[in-house]
Amino acid sequence: MKFAQAAIEYIVLVGVIMVFLIPVIHYSLNEANTSLKINQLENSVRRVAKAADAVYAIGAGASELITITLPYGIESTNISNNQILLKVSMFGAVSDVIYATRVNVTGTLPNLPGTYNIIVKALSNLTVEIKQK
């Protein structure tokens, strides 16, 4: 009879531990996923902006091929004037990820998640064009 009582106590103990551990693990995974998404966005936008500044410094006709990874949740992109803007759905609302450039930029970036090759090219009219290859 004592063996059955010990087995039930272990089952109850494991159940209580799981009740506390499952929410902690779920929260940790959500935070890690959000952090990864934010880092991917910031790195991608920063990389495009730095490439735009670099090809502008070299002069008209210069181009650079860069690879960026965009996460899920991008609502829209806007590349104009001196900024690159991505509107992203996170935290239950739409947030902006903006990076300023030293040069006027034009073009488009994809809205869908994935890894893309982007061509950044300096034009003769003192602007930089950004487009998907």
Side-chain angles (χ1 to χ4, degrees):
M1 196 66 159
K2 290 185 179 186
F3 294 115
Q5 180 181 355
I8 291 175
E9 288 174 355
Y10 281 123
I11 290 173
V12 170
L13 180 64
V14 169
V16 169
I17 290 172
M18 288 182 70
V19 164
F20 289 110
L21 270 182
I22 289 175
V24 170
I25 292 170
H26 179 70
Y27 176 77
S28 299
L29 289 175
N30 280 342
E31 287 298 312
N33 192 20
T34 301
S35 177
L36 176 66
K37 183 178 182 178
I38 291 170
N39 285 336
Q40 280 182 334
L41 283 167
E42 289 176 350
N43 287 339
S44 296
V45 172
R46 183 182 313 111
R47 188 140 189 220
V48 171
K50 288 189 182 275
D53 291 340
V55 297
Y56 177 74
I58 294 171
S63 65
E64 184 176 346
L65 178 67
I66 60 172
T67 303
I68 61 171
T69 300
L70 299 175
Y72 175 78
I74 297 176
E75 304 263 330
S76 66
T77 62
N78 183 11
I79 301 175
S80 61
N81 298 327
N82 289 37
Q83 70 179 8
I84 300 168
L85 167 69
L86 276 69
K87 292 195 177 283
V88 183
S89 174
M90 66 173 66
F91 307 120
V94 176
S95 301
D96 293 342
V97 176
I98 301 172
Y99 205 89
T101 62
R102 295 183 180 125
V103 60
N104 284 331
V105 288
T106 62
T108 60
L109 286 175
N111 290 347
L112 299 175
T115 301
Y116 298 96
N117 290 323
I118 305 295
I119 297 175
V120 182
K121 183 175 182 179
L123 303 176
S124 60
N125 61 354
L126 302 178
T127 62
V128 173
E129 180 184 38
I130 300 167
K131 64 180 179 180
Q132 184 179 348
K133 180 176 180 187

